Amino acid sequence: LARKLRFDILNKPICERCVTCGYHELTFLDISSLVSGFAVGITWLWYGFYKVGAEVQALYWITQDIMGISICIAALRIIQLNKVQVATVLLAIVFIYDIFFVLITPLAFGGESVMMAVAMTGGAPPNPDYCEKYPTEDECRGGDPLPTYLSLPRIDDYRGGMSALGLGDIVLPGLLISFAIRLDVSKRFAEFMRIYMRSGSVGCNQKQSKGVGKELLSGYFIWLILAYSVGLLIAYIVFSYTKIKEPAARLYLVPFCLGMMFMLGWKREETAILWSGPKVLKTLQHVMSLRETIRIVSID
């Protein structure tokens, strides 16, 4: 964010003369990110170990959510898919994995979900509703959660308690959504370059703009966000009415997101292109890599 806002002080190298040590690219932004990361992590650990019923305290779940969101952003930044084929195989495997560990393993282990036992470091309390209301009771002291999900207080629930969304429910469908927004940006960049190469400039009269609304609807990103939201809403409704311990939102997110992608591709006659990998996306990635290489050479 600081780099986008061009904060020169934060982007300034700490030691410009430390070329031989390899620290000439270390900036104040890197140091501030390191310090803030350790501060959030240590705060979460201290609160979790020394506070009773910490999971319902605002400072605890806010710091946990900050760490979770940061992990999701880093994962989506590092892992980038270039074709729907890879996303389909990955999400299909995850879908089967969830069916097995959510629907089958409780039958084999006396009604206990393996996924819930792992997430809660030994299993959930015997009576979750009672323990959410009286977290200081001895029988409710076990099952401390790991920072593997986002946690938010329930709204309009007289019993209180927290709602959880696993990081896997964000990152795995997010890989497909990330692919969609990169594809939309690549198409806009290609259109811009075609206009520029044809006319030599892009003026107000020459720029062929569809309008913000039509431009968003003509892409894939906004529709996948809508599909993700609908799938998450249905998962929440099913969880609320069935009272199952492990809602497994991916059982609903995967079909909705993949279904929306293939439906749009079929309607726009781009299914084969999406499956094998759009060339426009690969071209933009090549351009961006050349730009980064030129930037590094100019710095050196």
Side-chain angles (χ1 to χ4, degrees), residues 39-58:
V40 171
I42 292 173
T43 301
W44 182 84
L45 287 173
W46 173 81
Y47 220 83
F49 277 113
Y50 294 100
K51 293 291 183 179
V52 178
E55 61 273 6
V56 297
Q57 301 296 325

Side-chain angles (χ1 to χ4, degrees), residues 11 13 16 19 24-25 292-300:
N11 288 325
E16 298 180 356
V19 179
H24 62 288
E25 295 184 358
E292 185 67 18
T293 302
I294 293 172
R295 186 188 70 84
I296 294 175
V297 171
S298 63
I299 293 175
D300 293 339

Side-chain angles (χ1 to χ4, degrees), residues 96-245:
I96 297 174
Y97 170 89
D98 283 343
I99 291 178
F100 178 78
F101 280 101
V102 174
L103 302 180
I104 298 179
T105 56
L107 301 178
F109 294 97
E112 183 179 4
S113 172
V114 175
M115 294 180 65
M116 177 61 74
V118 173
M120 300 299 293
T121 63
N127 189 343
D129 293 335
Y130 175 81
C131 292
E132 286 176 352
K133 188 175 181 181
Y134 303 102
T136 58
E137 296 294 328
D138 293 336
E139 63 181 7
C140 301
R141 298 298 297 271
D144 296 327
L146 292 172
T148 56
Y149 57 85
L150 302 185
S151 181
L152 288 173
R154 293 174 184 169
I155 301 175
D156 296 333
D157 189 344
Y158 71 93
R159 297 172 302 176
M162 309 295 291
S163 297
L165 179 63
L167 300 187
D169 298 330
I170 301 173
V171 173
L172 294 174
L175 294 174
L176 186 62
I177 298 175
S178 173
F179 167 82
I181 192 172
R182 288 187 295 113
L183 177 59
D184 292 347
V185 172
S186 300
K187 287 183 175 181
R188 294 171 194 168
F189 176 78
E191 182 181 0
F192 170 83
M193 291 304 298
R194 281 195 297 267
I195 297 174
Y196 180 81
M197 296 298 293
R198 185 167 54 246
S199 61
S201 62
V202 182
C204 296
N205 297 329
Q206 296 170 329
K207 187 176 181 180
Q208 302 175 357
S209 177
K210 302 178 184 178
V212 177
K214 292 183 178 180
E215 191 172 3
L216 287 175
L217 294 178
S218 64
Y220 289 88
F221 172 71
I222 192 67
W223 293 107
L224 283 180
I225 289 293
L226 178 62
Y228 183 91
S229 302
V230 173
L232 191 62
L233 177 61
I234 293 178
Y236 178 78
I237 293 175
V238 171
F239 170 68
S240 299
Y241 280 94
T242 59
K243 304 298 182 182
I244 58 178
K245 294 182 179 181

